[in-house]
């Protein structure tokens, strides 16, 4: 009986419009399963056995990607409850704690971010130890380095949003460093060298690197909005685009590396 | 050296009679955990680990070591309150994860390197050498991925249910906490602020880390070790990179998160964070050493005259040293193999990285503050 129901579902017009192939049990349908699905199609149809051994890749690139997705989903949920203005930011976080159904969403988002950073470092370490940055994969390593920076910037910009003591002072430490940027920061060496004719300085407290970061001279309202937009829109979009490039290049460079 | 050790609050002096063996041990660890002892120790450990990689990576040696380490690491939580409070701070949990995962994966990588290096010597194939063995993505890879995702989800949910995300009191722009710390993944850089000014620690060095990482594939022309684990064929590359990553990045993060307390003073793992402790700063510049200590005179008025000894040293370090290194046979061969541009890019990045330990040693041995001190133009190196 059950088999009959399953079969009639499988033969229905709806099912066969979604899945263009039979159950992936033999070689042909398994190939079809990967080829006819946009997401699975990121993979090649066949891969070298050693390349997918867990002890070779440690699965760390894959987990970084998975955590990126998990962060996106939990982040979107958090956005429903959070307003990036000084009056509300902190109390929205408090209320989020009280709202039971979302009780762990903030935790998932925060710990997931930490985990993503650790995963991306370990991924880099494994790519380094297997020498997978060597030709022909040099450029994909460079893409990876940018992704590494973006991952840490994502986490850094998110750190400010709860608007508690931990948040603003951590970002203040960071902005002190921006202030010291050579040539471009108020306290940086070489700032005096950049002048318009007539001795008008180019780098002022309202035009230096710290101002660019904070949109103000300290961590305040404008910085919160700036970090929010960077955190929720600009950096995720850049990261998603580069991840797509990264995956595309893995395949164009001949798949996961292995001995020549 | 004596002043540095005495900073770690002599526990023994306090309650002389009831000092247990445990207290003695804690005091011992506190005294010896200061960077000037523990960083060289970590470096030695790392070098030992890489040269003895064929021995300790055997599971029968590694796992007992790992178990002992785990027991000691967590075993002190009930035995010491300050240690427990450091380790159990929610935002410090990722550091413990980082420590254990890094050790585990370092082992996993070096273990396979040991097997491969051995196999190459006796003419057997590498672990990775099964080119013809192609498998279909469905089911082999897809199922592994599914399993990894499920496991990761379970861990993440458990972690989130068990540990609340921290939320401190509302932001107060007038009341900085002491110490103010950057997020943990930047604490290696914040730790560098002890030795460098912000323009170096916060801008130039991180910039060069990113640049150096990106340039790496174009610098490393060694064709061997591409796509498989090995140590023997890439010793210089692996040791240099691991020195930067394990010691200068990871260990400094652990220092910055676990062992830096109020006023960024250093506290041993079993030491109470005392916010009233004042560590005397008696650091001196190269110009002081030259004009005051060696020549027994006064600092000259003019900045450029005053700082010439430091400028000569810096010029030597950044410009002459990369060339002089080629006189060492190993680097000479690299210079020849890599060509002019690659070699000098590599060598300059290398000496910049080495400036970090050199300045640390300068601080520990002669209280060195700046090699070049030009506060007039915010240029202190
Ligand atoms: C958001 C961050 C990143 C994601 C989602 C990501 C994802 C991945 C995935 C899924 C793979 C397939 C093999 C594997 O899992 O090991 C991979 C390979 C690779 N990744 Fe990444 N990665 C990221 C960051 C990086 C970083 C930081 C680097 C290096 C600095 C890097 C360099 C590479 C290279 C060179 C390969 C090819 C390795 C090979 O063919 O063996 N990636 N990446």
């Amino acid at each position: 009986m059950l088999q009959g129901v399953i079969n009639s579902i499988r033969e229905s017009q709806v099912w066969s419009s979604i899945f263009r192939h039979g159950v992936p049990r033999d070689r042909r349908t398994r190939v079809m399963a990967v080829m006819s699905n946009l997401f699975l199609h990121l993979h090649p149809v066949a891969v070298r056995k050693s390349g997918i051994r867990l002890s070779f890749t440690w699965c760390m690139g894959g987990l970084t990607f998975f955590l990126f997705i998990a962060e996106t989903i939990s982040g979107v949920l958090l956005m429903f409850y959070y307003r990036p203005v000084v009056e509300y930011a902190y109390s929205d976080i408090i209320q989020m704690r009280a709202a039971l159904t979302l009780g762990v969403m903030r935790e998932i988002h925060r710990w997931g971010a930490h985990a993503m950073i650790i995963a991306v470092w370990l991924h880099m370490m494994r790519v380094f130890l297997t020498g997978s940055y060597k030709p022909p994969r040099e450029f994909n390593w460079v893409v990876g380095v940018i992704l590494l920076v973006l991952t840490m910037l994502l986490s850094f910009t998110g750190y400010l949003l709860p608007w508690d003591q931990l948040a603003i002072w951590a970002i203040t430490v960071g902005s002190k460093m921006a202030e010291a940027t050579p040539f471009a920061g108020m306290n940086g060496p070489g700032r005096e060298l950049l002048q318009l004719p007539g001795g008008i300085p180019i780098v002022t407290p309202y035009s230096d690197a710290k101002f660019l970061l904070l949109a103000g001279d300290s961590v305040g309202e404008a910085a919160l909005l700036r970090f929010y937009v960077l955190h929720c829109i600009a950096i995720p979009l850049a990261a998603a685009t580069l991840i797509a490039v990264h995956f595309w290049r893995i395949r164009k460079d001949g798949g996961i590396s292995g001995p020549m | 050296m004596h002043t540095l050790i005495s900073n770690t609050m002599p526990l023994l002096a306090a309650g002389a009679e009831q000092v247990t063996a445990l207290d003695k041990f804690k005091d011992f660890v506190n005294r010896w955990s200061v960077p000037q002892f523990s960083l060289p120790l970590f470096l030695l450990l790392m070098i030992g680990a890489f040269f003895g990689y064929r021995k300790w990576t055997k599971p029968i040696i590694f796992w007992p070591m790992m178990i002992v380490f785990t027991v000691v690491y967590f075993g002190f939580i009930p035995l010491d309150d300050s240690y427990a409070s450091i380790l159990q701070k929610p935002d410090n949990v990722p550091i413990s994860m980082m420590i254990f995962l890094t050790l585990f994966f370092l082992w996993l990588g070096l273990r396979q390197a040991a097997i491969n290096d051995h196999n190459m010597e006796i003419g057997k194939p590498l672990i990775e050498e099964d080119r013809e063995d192609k498998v279909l993505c469905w089911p082999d890879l897809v199922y592994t991925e599914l399993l990894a995702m499920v496991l990761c989800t379970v861990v993440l949910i458990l972690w989130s249910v068990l540990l609340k995300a921290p939320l401190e009191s509302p932001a107060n722009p007038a009341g900085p906490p002491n110490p103010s710390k950057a997020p943990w993944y930047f604490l290696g850089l914040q730790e560098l602020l002890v030795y460098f000014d912000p323009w170096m620690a916060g801008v130039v060095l991180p910039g060069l880390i990113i640049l150096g990482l990106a340039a790496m594939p174009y610098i490393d022309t060694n064709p061997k070790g591409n796509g498989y684990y090995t140590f023997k064929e890439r010793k210089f590359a692996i040791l240099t990179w691991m020195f930067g990553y394990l010691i200068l990045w990871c260990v400094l993060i652990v220092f910055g998160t676990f062992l830096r307390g109020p006023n960024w003073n250093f506290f041993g793992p079993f030491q109470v964070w005392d916010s009233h402790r004042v560590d005397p700063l008696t650091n001196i510049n190269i110009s002081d050493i030259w004009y005051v200590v060696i020549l027994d005179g006064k600092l000259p008025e003019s900045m450029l005259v005053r700082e010439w000894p430091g400028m000569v040293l810096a010029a030597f370090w950044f410009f002459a040293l990369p060339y002089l290194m080629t006189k060492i046979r190993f680097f000479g061969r690299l210079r020849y193999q890599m060509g002019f541009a690659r070699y000098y890019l590599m060598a300059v990045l290398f000496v910049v990285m080495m400036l970090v330990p050199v300045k640390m040693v300068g601080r520990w041995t002669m209280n060195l503050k700046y090699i070049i001190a030009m506060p007039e133009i915010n240029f202190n190196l």
Side-chain angles (χ1 to χ4, degrees):
Chain A
M1 228 275 285
L2 188 67
Q3 198 56 46
V5 175
I6 292 178
N7 281 345
S8 64
I9 291 178
R10 282 225 177 99
E11 280 150 24
S12 71
Q13 188 186 357
V14 175
W15 181 274
S16 53
S17 73
I18 301 175
F19 300 106
R20 298 280 190 204
H21 51 80
V23 189
R25 280 209 193 99
D26 53 26
R27 192 180 161 85
R28 199 186 76 88
T29 44
R30 283 176 172 171
V31 170
M32 292 281 289
V34 172
M35 299 249 287
S36 63
N37 179 306
L38 172 69
F39 303 104
L40 294 182
H41 166 256
L42 281 174
H43 303 106
V45 166
V47 282
R48 258 173 357 93
K49 205 168 171 182
S50 75
I52 60 167
R53 265 182 27 247
L54 263 182
S55 56
F56 186 74
T57 64
W58 310 347
C59 208
M60 279 302 156
L63 279 185
T64 312
F65 181 53
F66 175 67
L67 285 165
F68 181 74
I69 309 266
E71 289 298 286
T72 310
I73 297 172
S74 55
V76 167
L77 291 176
L78 291 179
M79 282 173 80
F80 290 136
Y81 295 88
Y82 173 85
R83 286 162 290 180
V85 279
V86 171
E87 289 88 337
Y88 294 122
Y90 184 77
S91 56
D92 281 353
I93 302 271
I94 299 250
Q95 283 180 6
M96 218 182 284
R97 280 191 156 176
L100 242 175
T101 38
L102 265 153
V104 298
M105 223 17 97
R106 173 160 177 251
E107 276 69 23
I108 291 194
H109 197 70
R110 191 179 185 100
W111 303 139
H114 288 324
M116 184 174 166
I117 291 207
I118 297 174
V120 79
W121 290 357
L122 290 171
H123 172 56
M124 177 173 69
M125 184 165 126
R126 107 75 190 146
V127 172
F128 174 75
L129 278 177
T130 55
S132 305
Y133 58 88
K134 299 190 175 196
R137 296 183 181 77
E138 307 101 308
F139 182 67
N140 215 14
W141 169 271
V142 178
V143 174
V145 173
I146 305 173
L147 279 170
L148 172 81
V149 176
L150 288 180
T151 307
M152 302 213 309
L153 285 182
L154 263 176
S155 212
F156 181 69
T157 48
Y159 216 79
L160 181 62
L161 304 184
W163 205 249
D164 61 347
Q165 282 288 74
L166 206 59
I168 67 159
W169 291 104
I171 306 304
T172 304
V173 171
S175 70
K176 288 244 172 64
M177 301 203 175
E179 199 173 36
T181 311
F183 301 108
M186 259 318 275
N187 293 335
R191 173 185 72 95
E192 292 84 355
L193 299 177
L194 298 182
Q195 287 188 341
L196 294 175
I200 305 162
I202 297 178
V203 180
T204 66
Y206 301 101
S207 68
D208 76 335
K210 179 178 162 192
F211 193 85
L212 181 75
L213 184 72
L214 299 183
D217 52 5
S218 62
V219 181
E221 187 142 37
L224 180 58
L225 185 60
R226 188 159 285 204
F227 275 52
Y228 178 75
V229 174
L230 288 175
H231 183 74
C232 301
I233 299 180
I235 307 179
L237 276 183
T241 312
L242 279 173
I243 290 176
V245 175
H246 197 58
F247 288 175
W248 171 257
R249 287 299 297 231
I250 295 176
R251 293 196 55 182
K252 292 291 143 184
D253 296 340
I256 309 262
S257 60
M260 299 278 179
Chain B
M1 211 52 123
H2 176 74
T3 53
L4 292 164
I5 305 176
S6 64
N7 283 342
T8 60
M9 264 219 302
L11 202 158
L12 296 173
E17 308 97 63
Q18 291 112 341
V19 178
T20 62
L22 182 64
D23 291 333
K24 278 194 187 146
F25 176 77
K26 287 182 187 173
D27 191 49
F28 177 82
V29 173
N30 286 340
R31 280 162 184 268
W32 289 90
S33 59
V34 289
Q36 49 269 49
F37 297 124
S38 55
L39 265 186
L41 186 74
F42 280 121
L43 180 61
L44 281 181
L45 261 177
M46 187 198 100
I47 295 176
F50 276 92
F51 284 102
Y53 73 119
R54 301 201 189 195
K55 299 227 163 52
W56 70 266
T57 53
K58 293 202 176 78
I60 190 144
I61 304 183
F62 170 74
W63 283 111
M65 286 198 315
M66 196 68 177
I67 290 170
V68 170
F69 175 70
T70 312
V71 169
V72 172
Y73 188 92
F74 293 106
F76 273 99
I77 291 182
L79 298 181
D80 190 274
D81 288 343
S82 27
Y83 183 77
S85 70
I86 295 176
L87 237 60
Q88 289 171 334
K89 217 175 136 225
D91 262 356
N92 280 352
V93 170
I95 320 287
S96 295
M97 276 179 66
M98 179 188 82
I99 293 176
F100 281 92
L101 288 174
T102 307
L103 286 177
F104 172 77
F105 282 112
L106 192 66
W107 167 73
L108 190 61
L110 279 183
R111 165 101 190 116
Q112 296 175 85
I115 297 176
N116 274 343
D117 289 346
H118 180 71
N119 283 1
M120 277 188 278
E121 275 156 21
I122 59 172
K124 282 212 304 193
L126 302 169
I127 312 173
E128 291 87 353
E129 228 151 7
D130 42 13
R131 277 206 84 105
E132 60 290 22
D133 276 7
K134 282 224 169 185
V135 290
L136 285 184
C137 196
W138 185 302
D140 290 66
L141 179 55
V142 178
Y143 278 35
T144 315
E145 286 173 348
L146 182 72
L147 208 70
M149 286 198 283
V150 170
L151 270 180
C152 182
T153 311
V154 170
V155 170
L156 197 57
I157 290 180
L158 276 181
W159 186 3
S160 303
V161 170
L162 294 179
L163 196 67
K164 277 266 152 243
L167 188 66
E168 297 195 350
S169 46
N172 171 13
N178 185 9
S180 291
K181 291 190 179 184
W184 65 269
Y185 35 87
F186 288 142
L187 280 196
L189 299 174
Q190 199 176 351
E191 174 69 12
L192 287 184
L193 282 176
V194 174
Y195 308 96
F196 291 95
D197 268 15
W199 69 277
M200 276 297 281
V203 187
V204 173
L205 290 175
L208 286 180
I209 294 174
I210 298 169
L211 196 94
L213 279 177
M216 226 175 74
Y218 306 98
I219 293 176
D220 181 358
T221 50
N222 177 1
K224 291 194 192 139
N226 183 346
Y228 54 94
Y229 288 97
T230 171
F231 174 63
K232 209 177 91 183
E233 298 185 329
R234 306 170 50 207
K235 281 188 185 144
F236 177 67
I238 291 187
L239 281 176
T240 313
W241 198 89
M242 284 295 173
F243 172 66
Y245 180 63
L246 294 178
I247 307 287
L248 295 185
W249 189 259
C250 292
V251 172
L252 290 194
I253 286 179
V254 174
F255 280 14
T257 43
F258 286 0
L259 306 177
R260 288 290 180 181
N263 310 323
W264 210 253
N265 285 334
F266 193 90
F267 291 86
F270 307 116
Q271 223 173 331
V272 183
W273 283 14
D274 168 14
S275 56
H276 300 296
R277 193 180 102 195
V278 180
D279 290 1
L281 283 179
T282 49
N283 295 333
I284 52 175
N285 302 324
I286 291 280
S287 45
D288 298 318
I289 297 181
W290 178 250
Y291 286 107
V292 183
V293 180
I294 297 182
L295 296 184
D296 209 8
K298 267 190 356 188
L299 282 182
E301 292 288 313
S302 149
M303 181 177 83
L304 291 180
V305 178
R306 186 187 71 213
E307 294 306 325
W308 76 260
M311 292 195 286
V312 168
L313 282 182
F316 170 79
W317 188 260
F318 293 117
F319 302 115
L321 193 59
Y323 169 74
L324 290 176
M325 276 171 13
T326 60
K327 303 295 170 209
I328 303 171
R329 177 133 37 87
F330 173 77
F331 287 101
R333 218 174 46 230
L334 278 188
R335 161 74 185 82
Y336 174 72
Q337 285 166 353
M338 295 166 71
F340 178 84
R342 280 201 180 90
Y343 171 78
Y344 280 102
L345 182 58
M346 184 281 286
V348 168
L349 288 169
F350 185 77
V351 295
V352 172
M353 177 163 102
M354 287 305 165
L355 184 65
V356 176
V358 163
K359 242 198 123 178
M360 287 176 168
V361 172
R363 173 67 55 85
W364 302 333
T365 54
M366 49 189 182
N367 290 334
L368 175 66
K369 187 165 165 74
Y370 294 125
I371 298 168
I372 302 177
M374 299 183 175
E376 295 91 335
I377 57 166
N378 288 324
F379 185 86
N380 299 314
L381 182 71

